[in-house]
Amino acid sequence: MRSLAQTGSAPTAQKLAENIERIELLSHRLMAAFADRQRPNPGVEGPGPDLYVTAAGALVKTLTEQPARMIEHQVNYWAETLKNYARAQEALVKGKLTAPEDDGPRDRRFANPLWQTHPYFNLVKRQYQTNAEALRSASAALDLPDQIARRRLDWLTAQIIDMMAPTNFLATNPDALEKAIETEGESLVRGLENLVRDVETHGGEVIVSLADSTAFSVGQNIGTAPGTVVHRTPLFEMIQYAPTTPQVHATPLLIFPPWINKFYILDLKPENSLIRWLVDQGHTLFVVSWKNPDASMAETGIEDYIAAYLDAMDKVRDLTDQKKLNVVGYCIAGTTLSLTLALLKARGDDRVNSATFFTTLTDFSDQGEFTTFLQQDFVDGIAEEVARHGLMRARLMSRTMSFLRANDLVWGPAIRSYMMGEAPPAFDLLFWNGDSTNLPGKMAMQYLRGLCQQNAFAGEGFDLMGHRLHLSDVSVPLCAIACETDHIAPWKDCWRGVAQMGSTDKTFILSESGHIAGIVNPPSKKKYGHYLGSADFSGDHETWRKDATFTQGSWWPHWGGWLAERAGRMVDARDPGEGLEPAPGRYVHERAS
C-alpha cells in the first residue's frame, strides 16, 4: 500500500481545470437538489426534548451527589489525552512510530496500516478511542429514572460515537486520502457525483445508495421462479407457482410476506430461492405480492390486511378444491397472521391446517433496540408524517432501520461512495433492501400504538373487526423460526410470543445468523446451522436454548419434514394456467416515491 508520505505525480493543469469545472457544475446541482428537500419534521429527526431534560437532570444530580466521581472521570480523560499527545510527540521527534498493541476489540474501520504506523493517524485514532470511552463512561455514570431512559441515552451516545469516527472525515481517513492521491483527485470528483445522484434521487435527502439500481430487474435476473398471477385486488396480487413434480401434496401452501418489503427476498436467485425449493418439495405454492401503498390508501388499516388474508385463503381453497390450507407469515406478516388466526378462532373457522412464523414478534413487552423509536416523541413525529403524507413513507422506514446498524448501513457505504468514489455494488440482497415500500398511515399507527406501545395483543386484547383478539387464541399447529443475531425481531422475543400462544402443537427452530440470512439459508450452502429444542415452553428462552440440540446446516429440511406431515396425501400436480399474467406480476415493480 502506498504511504501518504509518498506523493504521486502532480495532476496536469488540464486535468485540474477539468475537475474544477466538474466540481462547479456538480456543486450547483447539489444545491438545487438540497433546495427540493421538503420541510423537515423535528419529531423524526432526533429524540424529543424530554430525553435531553432527563439527561440534564441526571447530570445535575450526579454532580451534586457524587462530585468526586465526576472529577475522577475528567481527570482520567485528560490523563489519557495527554498520554496520546506525548506518545505522538515522541514519535515525531524520533521520526518513526512503533504503536502499542490495541487492547480493545478489533475495529475494521482502522484496518489501514497507517493507523498504526503514522504518528498523525495513530494520534487521531487513539484520541477518538479516548473520546468514545469518555462519552460511554459519562453516560453510564448518570443515574437515570428508568430502563427506557437508559436505553435511549445509550443509543444516542452510540450514534454520536459512530458519527464522529475519524474515518467519516476526509482529512482523517487515510484510505480516502491515498485514493485521492493515486487517482489525482478523480475519486473525490466521482464521490461528489455519487453524492449528487443520491440527493437528487431522494428528494433532497442524503441517503446513500447501497446497491447498483441498474444491475437487477425483477423478473429478469431476480425473482424469476415460473408462476402465474391468479388473483388481484387493490391491495395484493397472488401468484401460484408452476409445479416441478408430477404429484403434489393435497393441502396447498400460502405465504404472506411482509409488506414492509417485497416478496422476492424469497426468490432472489435460483440457488437460494425458498420459493423454488418449496415447489421442488411437492407443494402447490401461492405467494402474496402486496401493493406498494400511495396516499390514496391512507385509511387502509390492519383490518384491511386481515380481510386480504381471508380473501387470499378463500381463493386458494377455491383454486385447489381444498377445505384447508397451510400458511406462512414472515415478520410483520406473521404478526398479522397471528391476529388472523385469533379472529378465525373467535369465528369458529378452522380453514387453517397449520401455521409457520418466520421472525415474528407478537409480544412487544421488551422493545429492545427499537425502544428509542417507540417512545411518544418519535411516534408522535410519525403521526405528523402520516397526517402530512397519508403514509409512513419508505424513506423514513429505511432510515430508521439503517441507523440500527449505522456503521454498516450508513457511514461505511457513505465513505466508499462519497470519499472513495466507488460505485455501489451489484449485490442482489442490497438491491432488494433498497427497493422499499410505504406503509398506509392508519395501519402504521395501529401497529405502533396498539401492538408495539400498548402491547395489547399479548396483554388485555387487541380490538379488531368486532372481536377482542388475544395471543392465547392462536391454537393451530405451528412452527416458528427465529434467528440468533436478528436485531429486528430478537429471537428471545419471538420465543416469548410463541410460548404464550394457545396451540398444543408447537415447534420452535432457532437459526444462526440474522433477520434475512437466517431465513434465506438454503441447504446447498451448508452455511448456518440451527437449534431444535423441546416443545416445553413452561420455562424461559435461555432454558429452552440450553436444552436444544444444534444441527449444522439449514433448517429448511427439518421444516420441510414438519410441513409434509401436515400437507396431506399426494395428488396430481396443479397447473396454474395463464391466469392474469406471468409472475412476478405488476405490483412488485411499483417503486416508493
Side-chain angles (χ1 to χ4, degrees):
M1 179 179 292
R2 290 178 56 188
S3 169
L4 286 174
Q6 298 174 315
T7 59
S9 59
T12 64
Q14 181 180 357
K15 182 68 172 177
L16 182 60
E18 290 173 354
N19 281 341
I20 291 174
E21 184 177 357
R22 288 166 66 191
I23 290 171
E24 184 176 357
L25 291 172
L26 288 166
S27 297
H28 286 304
R29 284 175 56 191
L30 185 61
M31 291 304 101
F34 279 137
D36 288 338
R37 188 188 183 203
Q38 296 184 359
R39 178 170 56 89
N41 178 359
V44 296
E45 296 294 325
D50 58 322
L51 178 60
Y52 299 106
V53 171
T54 299
L59 176 60
V60 170
K61 180 181 179 182
T62 304
L63 282 170
T64 303
E65 298 178 356
Q66 304 178 59
R69 185 178 183 184
M70 299 300 292
I71 292 173
E72 181 184 4
H73 281 303
Q74 289 294 314
V75 170
N76 289 339
Y77 170 72
W78 286 110
E80 286 300 316
T81 297
L82 289 173
K83 285 181 185 178
N84 293 337
Y85 278 92
R87 188 183 296 115
Q89 183 68 27
E90 181 182 2
L92 288 170
V93 170
K94 292 181 178 179
K96 64 178 182 178
L97 171 68
T98 303
E101 289 292 326
D102 281 341
D103 53 5
R106 187 174 182 84
D107 191 333
R108 61 186 178 185
R109 293 176 296 179
F110 301 115
N112 191 310
L114 287 171
W115 292 112
Q116 288 291 97
T117 61
H118 195 287
Y120 168 70
F121 289 109
N122 186 259
L123 170 62
V124 168
K125 182 187 76 168
R126 288 286 177 179
Q127 191 57 41
Y128 168 70
Q129 293 172 332
T130 299
N131 294 343
E133 181 56 35
L135 282 171
R136 280 189 286 263
S137 298
S139 173
L142 296 181
D143 184 10
L144 296 170
D146 53 43
Q147 190 61 29
I148 290 176
R150 166 54 57 199
R151 284 183 172 180
R152 297 192 78 190
L153 190 60
D154 287 349
W155 176 86
L156 182 59
T157 301
Q159 293 299 317
I160 294 171
I161 290 171
D162 290 344
M163 179 178 65
M164 297 307 295
T167 46
N168 295 340
F169 303 91
L170 178 62
T172 51
N173 187 318
D175 293 304
L177 291 171
E178 284 186 325
K179 188 69 172 289
I181 292 172
E182 179 183 328
T183 63
E184 298 183 340
E186 180 66 22
S187 61
L188 299 180
V189 180
R190 289 200 302 265
L192 182 57
E193 289 175 340
N194 291 341
L195 174 61
V196 171
R197 176 204 63 218
D198 287 342
V199 174
E200 288 178 338
T201 300
H202 297 103
E205 300 278 357
V206 181
I207 301 177
V208 62
S209 296
L210 298 180
D212 181 357
S213 61
T214 65
F216 301 98
S217 177
V218 181
Q220 298 297 317
N221 55 0
I222 52 175
T224 59
T228 301
V229 176
V230 293
H231 186 49
R232 178 181 293 126
T233 75
L235 190 54
F236 72 95
E237 292 177 326
M238 189 169 69
I239 300 167
Q240 180 179 350
Y241 284 91
T244 57
T245 57
Q247 289 195 311
V248 295
H249 292 281
T251 305
L253 179 63
L254 172 60
I255 296 180
F256 295 104
W259 51 92
I260 290 176
N261 297 105
K262 295 183 178 179
F263 80 90
Y264 63 88
I265 186 60
L266 301 175
D267 186 36
L268 285 178
K269 47 194 173 187
E271 55 266 32
N272 66 358
S273 170
L274 180 60
I275 286 174
R276 290 177 183 265
W277 186 83
L278 285 167
V279 171
D280 288 344
Q281 305 309 302
H283 293 284
T284 302
L285 179 63
F286 298 82
V287 176
V288 164
S289 173
W290 297 104
K291 174 80 172 176
N292 199 342
D294 57 27
S296 68
M297 298 174 64
E299 291 303 312
T300 300
I302 290 178
E303 62 272 22
D304 296 297
Y305 280 93
I306 290 179
Y309 277 46
L310 300 177
D311 181 21
M313 291 179 191
D314 284 338
K315 188 65 176 179
V316 168
R317 294 193 298 165
D318 288 343
L319 290 171
T320 59
D321 195 28
Q322 294 292 308
K323 293 183 178 180
K324 292 194 173 188
L325 75 167
N326 295 317
V327 291
V328 179
Y330 192 168
C331 190
I332 191 174
T335 307
T336 309
L337 176 59
S338 301
L339 291 166
T340 306
L341 293 172
L343 178 66
L344 289 173
K345 176 70 175 294
R347 291 178 172 179
D349 190 326
D350 64 352
R351 69 179 68 188
V352 174
N353 187 58
S354 76
T356 298
F357 301 101
F358 294 166
T359 63
T360 294
L361 294 174
T362 49
D363 179 351
F364 296 87
S365 56
D366 185 346
Q367 296 170 351
E369 292 191 44
F370 284 94
T371 298
T372 294
F373 303 110
L374 290 176
Q375 303 315 303
Q376 203 60 41
D377 52 0
F378 193 76
V379 175
D380 284 346
I382 294 174
E384 293 175 13
E385 285 283 297
V386 166
R388 186 188 304 178
H389 304 288
L391 302 165
M392 184 173 178
R393 293 181 297 169
R395 191 177 302 160
L396 175 58
M397 176 68 70
S398 297
R399 189 181 69 180
T400 301
M401 294 295 185
S402 294
F403 274 98
L404 292 176
R405 291 293 181 269
N407 283 328
D408 292 333
L409 297 177
V410 179
W411 307 119
I415 290 167
R416 292 189 293 273
S417 186
Y418 305 151
M419 282 198 275
M420 306 292 288
E422 297 176 3
F427 185 11
D428 55 359
L429 179 58
L430 290 179
F431 173 85
W432 167 85
N433 186 68
D435 190 8
S436 304
T437 57
N438 300 314
L439 297 182
K442 181 181 178 180
M443 172 265 142
M445 298 315 301
Q446 286 174 307
Y447 180 79
L448 291 172
R449 295 206 189 280
L451 291 174
C452 296
Q453 285 189 317
Q454 299 170 17
N455 196 29
F457 189 37
E460 296 181 357
F462 190 73
D463 291 328
L464 204 67
M465 303 174 79
H467 295 274
R468 175 158 288 190
L469 307 178
H470 295 88
L471 184 55
S472 58
D473 295 333
V474 179
S475 58
V476 301
L478 64 90
C479 180
I481 296 90
C483 300
E484 191 173 25
T485 59
D486 191 339
H487 64 286
I488 296 173
W491 81 267
K492 63 182 180 64
D493 300 322
C494 297
W495 188 95
R496 189 174 61 250
V498 170
Q500 296 175 68
M501 292 179 180
S503 173
T504 58
D505 180 0
K506 294 189 283 194
T507 297
F508 191 85
I509 301 173
L510 177 60
S511 174
E512 289 185 315
S513 196
H515 193 71
I516 299 301
I519 296 298
V520 184
N521 179 27
S524 59
K525 296 292 185 182
K526 299 180 180 178
K527 194 170 185 180
Y528 301 118
H530 61 280
Y531 296 85
L532 295 171
S534 71
D536 181 6
F537 290 83
S538 60
D540 58 19
H541 67 281
E542 289 294 354
T543 301
W544 180 93
R545 167 71 174 271
K546 182 180 178 182
D547 295 336
T549 300
F550 178 76
T551 301
Q552 189 61 50
S554 173
W555 54 269
W556 291 10
H558 182 87
W559 176 57
W562 181 92
L563 196 59
E565 292 175 1
R566 293 157 178 82
R569 60 189 178 85
M570 304 304 290
V571 299
D572 290 340
R574 304 173 175 114
D575 185 348
E578 294 185 3
L580 301 177
E581 64 180 276
R586 64 182 63 174
Y587 285 175
V588 73
H589 296 294
E590 296 176 346
R591 307 280 294 189
S593 58

